[in-house]
Amino acid sequence: MNAPVETPIGFLDLPQQQSLIANEIRQRVDAVMQHCRFVMGPEVAELEGRLATYSGAGQCVGVSSGTDAIQIVLMAEGIGAGDAVFLPAFTYTATAEVPLVLGATPVFVDVDPATFQIDPASLRTRIADVRKAGKLRPRAVIGVDLFGQPAPWAELRAIAAEEKLFLMADCAQAFGATLDGRKLGREAVATTLSFFPSKPLGAYGDAGGILTDDPERAELYRSLRTHGEGKTRYEVLRTGMNARLDTIQAAILLAKLGVFDIELERRREIAAAYDRGLAGHVIPPARVPHSNGSWSVYSVLTEGEAARTALQERLKGHDIASAIYYPRPLHLQPAYRASHDGAPLPVAEDLSRRIMALPLHPELSDNDVGRVIAAVRKA
Ligand SMILES: *Cc1c(COP(=O)(O)O)cnc(C)c1O
């Protein structure tokens, strides 16, 4: 007897998602094609208003990507040569790249072995390391809400206040997540968002945003995203960027916001099903207390590198995709090695050998979820 043919389970299913909201998206894009205000059209301000309301933040500034959002926030603080910016070693490269682009130095911090979030104890150690070495000025901390769960914000705020450091949130992976019953977006002075297509709220190209409760900073961010302009277009107040949010991307995001909460609910259901189904076979991600994640990534831990390779092979045999975020912690990447002081970051190094992400997107059916669980349990 032939085994039943099973459809592949991919990491994302954007065509399926598109089919559900195709009409809304077409109407929104058609409207842009009618008015032709492709740069800073009315959809940009409309989206900014919606995102501010959604997150509870006072202001939202739409920008061209999550990476540009981080750059604008750090530029606004005047961060540059001689400054140390503390950030987790276990995150996407964009978080570390921006300080270097600005001439500052990323200082890598270890992470928690169960939640994968930045470890406050390691942050304290790393700040002390930098102060002791006396070469760099500690200036800022970037907390990252990794894989859709919140960073330990209360501890990060306490450390930043004590050490007089600027605190920002790289929330590229966690828009829609909650901590203590409130949406992420107000945990730090500024929160950056990414709407890259694979993030929980994804555009059809690059897009990002900055949330803040500080109206003066929001004005500065608006100036920086448009070449540092002042009240009029040809008044140049400061060195800025061309980092505006495209009108068409804003239009698409407005359509997608309409189903975002339903998608988040589905992501949470799948994460809970994985937690129940996988415990005892692999180590599911520990839940950050008092939070509700957006589950942009669902990563489990295997016993070791060989077990991970075997599990990936088995899943592949069942036509189930998997991925590794991140196969190398940033302090060991060629691009960042030279700026690292050599401190060992054992948890980030260990995670990079054992971590593995399973497919988790709102289009997965219960049957798909069951197939993933069964394949992992068999391994
Ligand atoms: C995706 C991501 C970014 C960058 O966002 P882009 O929109 O791709 O520039 C930054 N930080 C983290 C943690 C990310 O996952």
Side-chain angles (χ1 to χ4, degrees):
M1 202 179 85
N2 290 328
V5 179
E6 295 190 305
T7 45
I9 299 179
F11 231 72
L12 283 176
D13 190 350
L14 297 177
Q16 168 75 11
Q17 187 201 42
Q18 196 170 50
S19 71
L20 298 177
I21 47 172
N23 281 338
E24 286 84 343
I25 289 188
R26 276 207 192 91
Q27 279 167 16
R28 281 287 187 175
V29 173
D30 279 350
V32 178
M33 287 174 71
Q34 295 279 320
H35 65 56
C36 287
R37 291 169 61 191
F38 300 120
V39 175
M40 296 306 287
E43 285 80 4
V44 173
E46 186 183 348
L47 179 70
E48 289 174 339
R50 291 274 298 277
L51 294 175
T53 306
Y54 186 90
S55 61
Q59 307 264 339
C60 174
V61 180
V63 296
S64 42
S65 73
T67 307
D68 290 342
I70 300 170
Q71 182 163 337
I72 288 171
V73 169
L74 294 183
M75 279 173 87
E77 303 305 315
I79 285 167
D83 293 336
V85 179
F86 298 87
L87 56 100
F90 205 64
T91 174
Y92 183 58
T93 180
T95 322
E97 154 186 62
V98 175
L100 275 173
V101 165
L102 295 177
T105 303
V107 176
F108 297 105
V109 176
D110 214 351
V111 294
D112 183 279
T115 63
F116 319 138
Q117 307 297 322
I118 189 169
D119 174 7
S122 173
L123 175 59
R124 284 187 190 280
T125 307
R126 300 298 281 140
I127 296 169
D129 288 347
V130 170
R131 292 208 191 277
K132 197 164 155 220
K135 291 199 196 90
L136 298 168
R137 235 179 352 259
R139 282 292 306 281
V141 176
I142 309 180
V144 177
D145 301 301
L146 199 74
F147 301 159
Q149 292 211 91
W153 286 112
E155 288 99 322
L156 295 184
R157 276 193 297 270
I159 296 170
E162 243 171 69
E163 302 276 355
K164 299 192 169 47
L165 302 175
F166 175 74
L167 179 63
M168 66 164 288
D170 176 352
C171 190
Q173 301 183 358
F175 187 62
T178 65
L179 180 61
D180 293 323
R182 64 177 199 173
K183 292 235 163 61
L184 294 186
R186 308 181 70 188
E187 302 299 326
V189 180
T191 296
T192 59
L193 307 174
S194 167
F195 306 118
F196 185 82
S198 63
K199 311 283 175 171
L201 179 63
Y204 284 1
D206 283 304
I210 309 171
L211 303 170
T212 184
D213 279 337
D214 178 350
E216 280 170 26
R217 279 196 169 85
E219 198 183 314
L220 195 47
Y221 300 157
R222 290 201 167 89
S223 168
L224 286 167
R225 80 172 162 189
T226 310
H227 306 290
E229 77 176 13
K231 291 263 181 298
T232 63
R233 188 189 290 183
Y234 295 106
E235 182 187 27
V236 186
L237 296 178
R238 51 185 69 85
T239 308
M241 298 169 69
N242 176 1
R244 292 168 294 232
L245 171 65
D246 274 356
T247 308
I248 287 193
Q249 298 304 339
I252 286 159
L253 288 166
L254 281 164
K256 283 200 155 186
L257 260 180
V259 292
F260 183 55
D261 279 333
I262 299 166
E263 292 184 339
L264 275 180
E265 258 331 289
R266 181 63 186 152
R267 284 179 184 275
R268 288 169 180 156
E269 252 174 45
I270 298 168
Y274 279 162
D275 283 353
R276 287 190 303 272
L278 300 175
H281 297 268
V282 287
I283 303 173
R287 297 305 181 101
V288 169
H290 314 293
S291 80
N292 210 351
S294 64
W295 300 104
S296 50
V297 173
Y298 186 92
S299 279
V300 299
L301 290 178
T302 59
E303 265 170 26
E305 207 163 3
R308 178 173 71 181
T309 306
L311 180 54
Q312 281 203 291
E313 281 305 309
R314 168 164 285 273
L315 293 181
K316 206 164 147 200
H318 288 274
D319 250 336
I320 297 169
S322 62
I324 299 173
Y325 306 116
Y326 298 95
R328 218 192 263 199
L330 293 179
H331 64 292
L332 301 182
Q333 287 284 3
Y336 304 122
R337 232 179 223 155
S339 48
H340 183 55
D341 60 6
L345 303 170
V347 178
E349 289 167 30
D350 180 55
L351 291 181
S352 69
R353 289 186 285 263
R354 296 166 56 211
I355 205 158
M356 194 188 114
L358 298 172
L360 196 163
H361 54 78
E363 294 75 29
L364 289 179
S365 66
D366 288 346
N367 185 53
D368 294 334
V369 173
R371 269 174 63 198
V372 174
I373 292 171
V376 174
R377 292 173 71 108
K378 257 195 265 170

